[in-house]
Amino acid sequence: MTGISRRRGRVAAPLAGLVAVLAALTACAGPFQYYEGTGVHDATAAEVAGHWENVEGTRVVLHEGGTALLEKLDEQDFAFEDGRRLSGTGTWQLTDEEGGQVVRLALTARTRVESRSSAATTAASAPEPPSAYTWSFHVDRDRHDGLRLFFFYGDPDLGNTYVMTRETGP
């Protein structure tokens, strides 16, 4: 009986290690990593053009000619944690991908960098702000068939979304 127990132990230990590694790898697979898009394919560039805002004072103007004005737009994905809010001018384009439409917004001329007050990173440890930056906003429709734009930010396991809605007024 002792010989059988030793053989099982030799097989079980590597198997347990493999299971632990696989569990650790799949634990990092959050909702963003499996995100397949909104399924929206019917938005037009004319419908996307206009004034957009976020509850934290972000403003983005998408002009019909493909130019853009950005005010206090936070970076996306893990760069969001740096707490930078970028302002400037750029370009935008509506693309149609398998999972749905995406607005590619490129900051080409940065005019200002601000810090988000809730950012955990201190200014001394933050990397140099980018002079150019590109966002990918997913295009979605709300329950009234109006458009909304969003991107994911922070840790992808959390699935946090940064939502832009039509500007409601001055």
Side-chain angles (χ1 to χ4, degrees):
M1 279 273 227
T2 311
I4 294 173
S5 295
R6 284 186 197 157
R7 274 185 264 156
R8 283 186 185 158
R10 282 188 229 139
V11 171
L15 185 58
L18 178 61
V19 168
V21 168
L22 289 174
L25 290 174
T26 58
C28 295
F32 170 72
Q33 293 175 3
Y34 298 113
Y35 187 70
E36 295 182 12
T38 62
V40 172
H41 294 282
D42 64 347
T44 65
E47 187 179 13
V48 172
H51 296 251
W52 296 88
E53 65 184 350
N54 178 283
V55 295
E56 294 187 23
T58 298
R59 291 189 68 235
V60 174
V61 180
L62 304 175
H63 298 284
E64 285 192 37
T67 60
L69 175 64
L70 300 74
E71 294 179 27
K72 302 179 184 177
L73 184 55
D74 293 280
E75 294 172 285
Q76 67 184 69
D77 300 326
F78 280 115
F80 181 84
E81 302 303 328
D82 293 334
R84 292 185 297 249
R85 307 188 87 202
L86 306 174
S87 297
T89 58
T91 60
W92 70 277
Q93 177 181 342
L94 177 64
T95 64
D96 197 355
E97 300 179 4
E98 186 178 333
Q101 290 174 298
V102 175
V103 171
R104 305 268 185 232
L105 176 61
L107 173 69
T108 56
R110 186 187 76 206
T111 57
R112 190 171 65 244
V113 177
E114 297 177 37
S115 265
R116 193 174 57 254
S117 61
S118 62
T121 307
T122 63
S125 65
E128 181 68 24
S131 57
Y133 193 85
T134 302
W135 291 264
S136 294
F137 285 93
H138 298 279
V139 177
D140 199 8
R141 293 205 178 270
D142 62 21
R143 63 178 177 248
H144 303 292
D145 208 31
L147 288 185
R148 67 184 195 125
L149 308 176
F150 71 93
F151 62 76
F152 292 97
Y153 70 89
D155 184 340
D157 290 338
L158 300 176
N160 294 322
T161 55
Y162 190 96
V163 179
M164 300 289 293
T165 57
R166 288 273 178 204
E167 193 171 85
T168 55

